[in-house]
Amino acid sequence: MKPAIGLLAALAASIGGAAAFDVNCNSNYASYYGQNSARNQKALGEYCKDATEDVIVLAFMNGFPNILLNFANACETTFEGSSLLHCPNIAKDIEYCQSQGKAVILSMGGASGAYGFSGDSDAIAFADTVWNMFFKGKADQRPFDDAVLDGIDLDIEGGSGA
């Protein structure tokens, strides 16, 4: 395992999960949310009303270490003076989903995008940024405001190694 990926895996392992997801169960149901190109995707909270759902994967953070998020029509607003998405409606729905026992995680990578690290120090700094922006850390700009995600999905299909 490359050190950068190992660091991200350790970050993911340190984050608690929601009650409905059971790592020892072979019938957990996970679905990706945020890539409906037909622009008719429902709000995240609507999918969490379905008892079948156990894990919702928010797709995608397809640019890093310079963070680029893409949730298609689910979030298209940005922080003032920035290209970073600000998704207060998804934030509210994350908290609702978690109250329904669903795990909500962020998928990093994907088939397209610009991602990779120039070295281990770049990856370590990025892990801190991810912690501060999406988990229990603090940052001035948090795409999902105060909502705290349950983990990450590494969908590394390309990019450079570090």
Side-chain angles (χ1 to χ4, degrees):
M1 181 180 295
K2 295 179 182 175
I5 300 302
L7 180 63
L8 291 173
L11 173 65
S14 70
I15 301 164
F21 176 75
D22 180 357
V23 73
N24 297 312
C25 178
N26 66 359
S27 62
N28 290 309
Y29 184 83
S31 61
Y32 278 75
Y33 175 82
Q35 291 303 297
N36 186 341
S37 60
R39 303 188 68 75
N40 61 0
Q41 179 170 247
K42 295 184 266 183
L44 174 62
E46 291 299 311
Y47 296 98
C48 292
K49 293 177 182 176
D50 184 343
T52 319
E53 299 281 350
D54 295 310
V55 181
I56 305 288
V57 184
L58 302 176
F60 285 101
M61 178 193 292
N62 58 350
F64 55 84
N66 298 319
I67 294 180
L68 175 63
L69 300 170
N70 179 351
F71 304 117
N73 66 310
C75 177
E76 298 176 311
T77 60
T78 59
F79 287 99
E80 187 174 331
S82 171
S83 61
L84 181 64
L85 288 180
H86 181 217
C87 311
N89 291 334
I90 292 178
K92 291 175 192 165
D93 285 346
I94 289 168
E95 292 173 339
Y96 170 74
C97 292
Q98 291 167 331
S99 77
Q100 299 303 300
K102 316 297 183 188
V104 182
I105 66 175
L106 176 63
S107 185
M108 297 170 47
S112 64
Y115 52 90
F117 303 106
S118 61
D120 289 350
S121 62
D122 193 25
I124 291 168
F126 174 70
D128 287 339
T129 298
V130 169
W131 177 260
N132 289 329
M133 292 176 72
F134 299 99
F135 297 102
K136 295 180 182 180
K138 301 285 183 209
D140 291 336
Q141 295 181 335
R142 290 178 54 94
F144 306 127
D145 296 330
D146 292 331
V148 175
L149 296 176
D150 295 299
I152 56 175
D153 165 54
L154 300 176
D155 184 10
I156 308 301
E157 298 179 34
S160 62

